[in-house]
Amino acid sequence: MPEEEVAFSLLQARKFLQSVWGDVRPDACLVCGSGWGEVVTALSPTSCVAYEKLPGMGATMVSGHHGKLWLTEPGGLKVIVFQGRRHFYEGAGWGPVLFPALLARELQAGTFLLTNAAGGIREDLIPGDLMVVSDHLNFIGSNPLIGRILHPSVPRFPDQSEVYDKGLVNCIHASGKAAGVETKEGIYLALSGPAFETPAEIRAYAKLGADAVGMSTVPEAMAAHAMGLKVGAISCISNLAAGRSSERLTHEEVERTSTVALPKMMRLLSGLFSLLTT
Ligand code: HPA
């Protein structure tokens, strides 16, 4: 989608949201990736709109991604929650992928939290683990910041020394500890997908320093960080990466594991939003 169209549809989406929610000023924005959608029920949801109603976002095409934007109020905070995400591999360009970051910036949400399902590469990362992302490797094969400047706040050459805010990383670990949920930490490598990796690719990515692998998160994190939002990301390790087990990889397995880990995800996120209130 050309940049002018993205800007126009963002304006239209904002107008539509204003007609439904009034002048909402969220404190944070949460994007729910594969298997994370149901966490919304733990965040005191008040109302939702379907993605189809949001120009520039459009319906998600991936199973397990609900396609609803929720207004929630966990512990007195106002949080908009994208229940399901759009991916680069859907072939619709960067517009829908970056829409949540652009909308969060537009509504002046200070904190932008991303979640995903990922394959565990590092030996200690096993299905059901929650990994706080400390940094990333962008292997998508493109850069979401190519082209016209996304927003006046974005420099042509954004610094990326700390895409994932260290304070927020510490806060996520602290809320895990308080909720009795173990959190690990690692480097997320993003690929375009949609095919899963070969075992040889995973061995190569391990040598490059990747701890987990997935098909999302990095573009939105780059855009949100470049626009000045405080960014955090959490991966649910849904499977051992290709070659680490004899099992074949399927999206169904990814969804199944995330569902099993759901109670932990809910406790972690509710705890995190209570911490952010204080
Ligand atoms: N590879 C890429 N993306 C993923 C994986 C994986 O193993 N698991 C969940 N998303």
Side-chain angles (χ1 to χ4, degrees), residues 10 13 17 21 26 28-34 36-40 43 49-51 54-58 60 64-72 79-86 96-105 107 109 112-115 220:
L10 188 67
L17 283 180
W21 289 341
C29 172
L30 169 70
V31 179
C32 294
S34 294
W36 287 80
E38 297 306 325
V39 298
V40 78
L43 303 176
V49 297
Y51 286 178
L54 295 171
M57 187 64 190
T60 148
H65 287 252
H66 297 69
K68 287 191 179 121
L69 176 63
W70 287 87
L71 184 60
T72 70
V79 182
I80 52 168
V81 182
F82 283 85
Q83 194 183 29
R85 66 150 54 80
R86 303 294 310 273
V97 177
L98 301 185
F99 183 90
L102 285 160
L103 186 73
R105 168 74 198 178
L107 299 179
F112 190 66
L113 197 63
L114 294 149
T115 59
E220 303 101 296

Side-chain angles (χ1 to χ4, degrees), residues 34 117-120 188-189 191 195-197 202 213-215 236 238-242 249 254:
S34 294
Y188 176 91
L189 181 138
L191 296 158
F196 287 111
E197 304 69 41
I202 292 298
V213 62
M215 305 175 192
C236 173
S238 53
N239 55 281
L240 298 177
L249 299 182
V254 167

Side-chain angles (χ1 to χ4, degrees), residues 155-171:
R156 177 71 287 182
F157 304 105
D159 171 71
Q160 292 205 106
S161 318
E162 191 185 315
V163 173
Y164 304 89
D165 183 82
K166 281 211 170 70
L168 195 49
V169 166
N170 292 338
C171 240

Side-chain angles (χ1 to χ4, degrees), residues 20-143:
V20 187
W21 289 341
D23 248 333
V24 63
R25 282 280 167 90
D27 301 285
C29 172
L30 169 70
V31 179
C32 294
S34 294
W36 287 80
E38 297 306 325
V39 298
V40 78
T41 57
L43 303 176
S44 310
T46 56
S47 75
C48 74
V49 297
Y51 286 178
E52 291 95 305
K53 296 259 166 95
L54 295 171
M57 187 64 190
T60 148
M61 296 183 245
V62 186
S63 147
H65 287 252
H66 297 69
K68 287 191 179 121
L69 176 63
W70 287 87
L71 184 60
T72 70
E73 299 194 0
L77 281 192
K78 273 202 168 33
V79 182
I80 52 168
V81 182
F82 283 85
Q83 194 183 29
R85 66 150 54 80
R86 303 294 310 273
H87 298 79
F88 191 52
Y89 61 69
E90 291 174 46
W94 288 123
V97 177
L98 301 185
F99 183 90
L102 285 160
L103 186 73
R105 168 74 198 178
E106 194 68 22
L107 299 179
Q108 297 175 34
T111 299
F112 190 66
L113 197 63
L114 294 149
T115 59
N116 60 48
I121 296 180
R122 202 175 69 208
E123 224 161 73
D124 69 298
L125 289 169
I126 55 169
D129 278 354
L130 297 180
M131 182 191 92
V132 186
V133 176
S134 58
D135 204 349
H136 72 229
L137 292 159
N138 178 15
F139 271 57
I140 287 182
S142 183
N143 188 306

